[in-house]
């Protein structure tokens, strides 16, 4: 409770001060309550006196704020009810009836009237007009309109205007909004942002400015924690989380990841109107959404392959079997062998580009796709000999040439390697397959392996069999008839080792004496054939011989 430090001159304007300790929130604070007393007009009835008190907001209920000017023989009351104060009828002490929050009242002071009523004379009283000044305390922290603020910026661009951050502090003066200072507490490790405090009338705002562009692919989002600090002592603070979304722009080229792809496919790869997928090209684009939408195309014109422009799936549009790739000499132009496989290589140039790109703003990438077509053993070797049946002289020497045998196989690699054998008809081993040459086709030599004897075996019926090296192997056979041509390799033989004939000395010239018969195992009856026999005498005499 305050106490008067001096007497009052009721006809002069003076200011008197009372000092009283106040207990607030379990802490003793030295609060000074100023009582300004202005006493005017001395009369016995209806005197008006004025007093001014200053108190801190939120003073506890029951705490005294001061005492009105008292006189002996008076009691004190409030003629009109005030929710905030009460007055002791005897002492005139004014106490807090309801704690006052400075931020909830519209004025900086509360005014009310205390009536001092004479105890002895009912019509004698005086009035004290009390003005209570409410001193603001720093009891409110700055507060942003939301705990989280969201902003959007374009990738690699600096906004033309900074972002405005506004906190509100309902306290007054240095404790309130007019004294706020803004700062970035966290999230600005790369020093991308600058935050300054700017005045807007009696309000302070935070002006958040981006200093340089941000690459969304490196930093997809940014999160800052911004603090607003008031000027109280001690100061109070409030924080807000600022999320900055980086809006993507089309600033990245799509990429296949590598310049060349090699895919092995079998030549019997099925196809169905381009729906069978050989490979799916997976290009990537670091951009987002529509900026990352891609379109695929083939730069190599061809009739074998197609590509889905949306999915990048490359498919066959016609079969490869039977040399379908032969129709594309500019596409499938190289052939090489590795290990036991020989491959035909078809090379495609594939392009991917942004779906939204136009003109010079198109972003694209290209790569080479090499299809290594693995041969399938789907062709049977075919044996051919220029002229059948064959003939060979029985006097042909061992390893003598009989004919060349050609074997064709449209496969490649091991599937084209041929082994040619005589599978039947050569039980006596008179013939053999010797040297074979690969001259596109396989060419082998059929030759004699033993001496022939026409008289023993005039004809041979051989079966040639060609087998390729594929898995599983394919084979074919060819029947070959070889006729042996007779050679004069037998001497004529008389039926009898000696003959005896009797002739009369009277026999005329050219008379028949005897018939001698010789035989020859060689063939032919014509004068030029090995079997035609000529007779003549080795000893000259009166007898002559003739051949019939």
């Amino acid at each position: 409770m305050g106490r008067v430090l001096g007497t009052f001159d009721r006809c002069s304007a003076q200011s008197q001060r009372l000092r009283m300790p106040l207990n607030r929130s379990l802490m003793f604070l030295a609060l000074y309550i100023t009582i300004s007393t202005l006493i005017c007009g001395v009369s016995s009835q209806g005197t008006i006196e004025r007093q001014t008190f200053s108190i801190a907001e939120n003073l506890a209920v029951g705490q005294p704020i001061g005492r009105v000017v008292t006189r002996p023989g008076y009691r004190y009351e409030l003629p009109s009810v005030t929710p905030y104060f009460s007055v002791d009828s005897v002492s005139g002490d004014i106490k807090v009836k309801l704690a006052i929050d400075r931020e909830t009242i519209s004025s900086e002071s509360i005014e009310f009237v205390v009536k001092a009523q004479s105890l002895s004379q009912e019509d004698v009283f005086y009035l004290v007009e009390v003005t209570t000044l409410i001193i603001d305390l720093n009891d409110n922290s700055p507060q942003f309109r939301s705990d989280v603020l969201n902003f959007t910026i374009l990738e690699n661009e600096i906004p033309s205007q900074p972002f405005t951050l506004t906190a509100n502090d309902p306290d007054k003066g240095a404790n309130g909004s007019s004294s706020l200072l803004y700062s970035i507490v966290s999230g600005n490790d790369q020093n991308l942002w600058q935050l300054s405090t700017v005045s807007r009338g009696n309000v302070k705002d935070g002006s958040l400015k981006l200093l340089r562009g941000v690459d969304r692919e490196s930093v997809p989002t940014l999160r800052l924690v911004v603090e607003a600090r008031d000027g109280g002592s001690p100061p109070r603070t409030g924080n807000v989380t600022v999320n900055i979304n980086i809006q993507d722009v089309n600033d990245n080229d799509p990429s296949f990841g590598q310049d060349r792809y090699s895919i092995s496919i079998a030549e019997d790869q099925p196809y169905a109107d381009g729906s069978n997928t050989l490979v799916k090209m997976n290009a990537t684009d670091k951009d987002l959404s529509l900026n990352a939408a891609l379109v695929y195309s083939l730069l190599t014109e061809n009739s074998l392959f197609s590509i889905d422009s949306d999915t990048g799936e490359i498919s066959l549009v016609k079969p490869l079997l039977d040399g379908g790739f032969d129709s594309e000499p500019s596409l499938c132009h190289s052939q090489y062998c590795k290990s036991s496989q020989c491959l035909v290589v078809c090379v495609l140039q594939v392009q991917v580009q942004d779906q939204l790109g136009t003109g010079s703003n198109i972003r694209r990438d290209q790569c080479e796709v090499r299809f290594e077509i693995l041969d399938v053993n789907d062709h049977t070797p075919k044996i051919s000999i220029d002229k059948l049946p064959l003939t060979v002289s029985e006097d042909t020497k061992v390893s003598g040439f009989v004919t060349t045998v050609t074997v064709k196989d449209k496969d490649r690699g091991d599937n084209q390697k041929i082994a040619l054998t005589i599978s039947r008809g050569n039980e006596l081993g008179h013939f053999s397959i010797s040297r074979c040459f690969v001259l596109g086709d396989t060419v082998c030599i059929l030759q004699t392996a033993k001496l022939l004897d026409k008289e023993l075996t005039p004809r041979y019926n051989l079966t040639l069999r060609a087998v390729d090296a594929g898995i599983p192997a394919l084979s074919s056979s060819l029947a070959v008839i070889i006729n042996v041509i007779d050679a004069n390799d037998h001497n004529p033989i008389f039926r009898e080792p000696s003959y005896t004939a009797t002739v009369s000395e009277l026999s005329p010239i050219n008379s028949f004496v005897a018939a001698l018969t010789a035989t020859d195992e060689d063939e032919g009856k014509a004068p030029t054939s090995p079997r035609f026999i000529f007779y003549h005498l080795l000893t000259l005499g009166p007898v002559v011989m003739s051949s019939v």
Side-chain angles (χ1 to χ4, degrees):
M1 178 174 175
R3 60 187 180 88
V4 179
L5 302 181
T7 59
F8 294 97
D9 182 351
R10 300 182 63 190
C11 296
S12 62
Q14 296 181 355
S15 185
Q16 306 292 332
R17 287 178 171 81
L18 297 180
R19 175 177 291 182
M20 61 180 62
L22 301 179
N23 182 357
R24 181 176 181 270
S25 302
L26 302 180
M27 296 180 63
F28 290 95
L29 303 175
L31 301 179
Y32 296 93
I33 301 176
T34 302
I35 303 175
S36 298
T37 305
L38 179 62
I39 304 174
C40 298
V42 179
S43 65
S44 62
Q45 185 173 345
T47 302
I48 298 177
E49 298 187 8
R50 293 181 177 87
Q51 288 182 281
T52 299
F53 301 96
S54 295
I55 66 171
E57 66 172 325
N58 296 321
L59 194 61
V61 174
Q63 287 291 326
I65 68 168
R67 177 180 297 171
V68 298
V69 176
T70 59
R71 298 175 188 175
Y74 283 82
R75 72 174 183 276
Y76 306 94
E77 62 186 23
L78 297 174
S80 60
V81 177
T82 174
Y84 298 108
F85 303 104
S86 65
V87 63
D88 187 283
S89 61
V90 177
S91 65
D93 289 340
I94 300 174
K95 296 181 179 181
V96 176
K97 186 169 70 172
L98 177 66
I100 302 171
D101 184 356
R102 170 67 184 81
E103 289 71 46
T104 63
I105 61 176
S106 59
S107 175
E108 295 180 356
S109 63
I110 299 175
E111 296 179 351
F112 59 93
V113 175
V114 176
K115 180 180 180 182
Q117 177 65 51
S118 173
L119 296 176
S120 59
Q121 301 179 55
E122 184 176 350
D123 60 345
V124 177
F125 65 91
Y126 64 92
L127 301 176
V128 179
E129 292 181 353
V130 178
T131 298
T132 305
L133 300 177
I134 310 302
I135 301 172
D136 183 66
L137 296 178
N138 193 19
D139 60 339
N140 289 281
S141 297
Q143 187 172 5
F144 292 87
R145 67 176 182 267
S146 174
D147 292 336
V148 178
L149 299 177
N150 296 301
F151 299 111
T152 298
I153 63 174
L154 284 177
E155 178 181 11
N156 295 323
E157 291 190 16
I158 299 177
S160 58
Q161 296 295 327
F163 298 112
T164 299
L165 310 177
T166 302
N168 179 54
D169 191 328
D171 292 324
K172 304 300 179 183
N175 298 329
S177 297
S178 62
S179 66
L180 294 179
L181 293 176
Y182 295 86
S183 62
I184 299 175
V185 176
S186 65
N188 196 30
D189 299 338
Q190 300 181 33
N191 295 318
L192 293 173
W193 300 91
Q194 180 185 72
L195 180 62
S196 55
T197 301
V198 297
S199 297
R200 181 170 51 89
N202 292 327
V203 177
K204 296 289 182 67
D205 294 329
S207 179
L208 184 62
K209 181 180 180 181
L210 181 64
L211 299 179
R212 60 181 183 272
V214 181
D215 181 17
R216 187 206 63 80
E217 287 72 39
S218 301
V219 185
T221 59
L222 291 170
R223 176 171 294 180
L224 304 176
V225 175
V226 173
E227 176 186 271
R229 179 185 296 265
D230 64 27
S233 181
R236 298 177 73 99
T237 62
N239 291 347
V240 63
T241 298
V242 181
N243 292 324
I244 298 98
N245 178 53
I246 315 300
Q247 184 174 327
D248 184 64
V249 297
N250 191 20
D251 62 337
N252 287 279
D253 293 329
S255 173
F256 283 112
Q258 58 192 71
D259 295 332
R260 175 180 293 180
Y261 292 83
S262 294
I263 297 98
S264 296
I265 60 174
E267 67 173 343
D268 62 350
Q269 176 76 33
Y271 78 101
D273 299 327
S275 61
N276 184 65
T277 301
L278 300 177
V279 63
K280 185 177 186 299
M281 304 305 296
N282 288 311
T284 58
D285 192 320
K286 293 181 180 179
D287 294 319
L288 291 179
S289 189
L290 291 178
N291 292 330
L294 303 177
V295 176
Y296 297 88
S297 61
L298 295 181
L299 299 180
T300 308
E301 294 185 5
N302 73 99
S303 61
L304 283 178
F305 303 96
S306 67
I307 190 168
D308 188 295
S309 61
D310 295 324
T311 65
E313 294 176 345
I314 299 178
S315 306
L316 273 177
V317 295
K318 71 179 184 180
L320 296 172
L321 282 175
D322 296 323
F325 41 80
D326 292 339
S327 63
E328 295 288 346
S330 62
L331 176 71
C332 307
H333 53 78
S334 60
Q335 178 173 337
Y336 71 97
C337 298
K338 61 179 183 181
S339 184
S340 61
Q341 282 281 8
C342 284
L343 311 172
V344 170
V345 179
C346 300
V347 181
L348 294 176
Q349 295 296 325
V350 182
Q351 176 175 281
V352 62
Q353 70 179 52
D354 289 332
Q355 189 178 74
L356 297 182
T358 57
S360 60
N361 193 37
I362 295 178
R363 294 185 175 273
R364 59 171 66 91
D365 190 24
Q366 297 176 7
C367 73
E368 180 182 279
V369 180
R370 296 166 56 88
F371 287 102
E372 298 178 345
I373 301 175
L374 306 177
D375 184 66
V376 175
N377 193 25
D378 59 330
H379 292 91
T380 300
K382 296 183 182 298
I383 307 172
S384 64
I385 296 176
D386 289 341
K387 185 178 180 180
L388 290 174
L390 300 174
T391 59
V392 61
S393 175
E394 68 174 333
D395 62 354
T396 302
K397 295 180 180 180
V398 175
S399 299
F401 174 83
V402 177
T403 189
T404 57
V405 181
T406 301
V407 183
K408 296 179 178 291
D409 192 321
K410 292 182 179 181
D411 294 316
R412 300 182 301 278
D414 282 359
N415 297 330
Q416 193 184 35
K417 291 181 179 180
I418 301 299
L420 183 65
T421 59
I422 304 172
S423 60
R424 284 185 303 184
N426 194 36
E427 289 77 8
L428 298 177
H430 284 149
F431 299 93
S432 66
I433 301 295
S434 68
R435 301 175 302 273
C436 290
F437 306 91
V438 178
L439 303 171
D441 299 326
T442 299
V443 179
C444 299
I445 304 298
L446 177 63
Q447 65 182 17
T448 58
K450 292 181 179 180
L451 293 176
L452 306 178
D453 189 337
K454 160 74 175 177
E455 290 68 38
L456 293 177
T457 310
R459 171 181 291 188
Y460 293 87
N461 191 353
L462 304 180
T463 298
L464 302 182
R465 185 169 184 262
V467 182
D468 64 28
I471 300 176
L474 298 178
S475 64
S476 66
S477 298
L478 177 68
V480 178
I481 295 176
I482 303 175
N483 292 319
V484 180
I485 300 174
D486 188 55
N488 190 17
D489 58 344
H490 292 86
N491 293 319
I493 300 174
F494 287 98
R495 290 182 180 178
E496 300 296 336
S498 64
Y499 292 85
T500 302
T502 302
V503 62
S504 171
E505 62 178 345
L506 298 176
S507 297
I509 296 173
N510 294 330
S511 296
F512 174 79
V513 177
L516 305 179
T517 302
T519 61
D520 192 326
E521 293 183 5
D522 292 320
E523 286 186 343
K525 295 182 180 180
T528 56
S529 70
R531 206 170 179 187
F532 191 86
I533 300 174
F534 294 90
Y535 298 87
H536 63 277
L537 293 173
L538 297 178
T539 303
L540 296 178
V543 180
V544 297
M545 296 187 71
S546 63
S547 298
V548 180

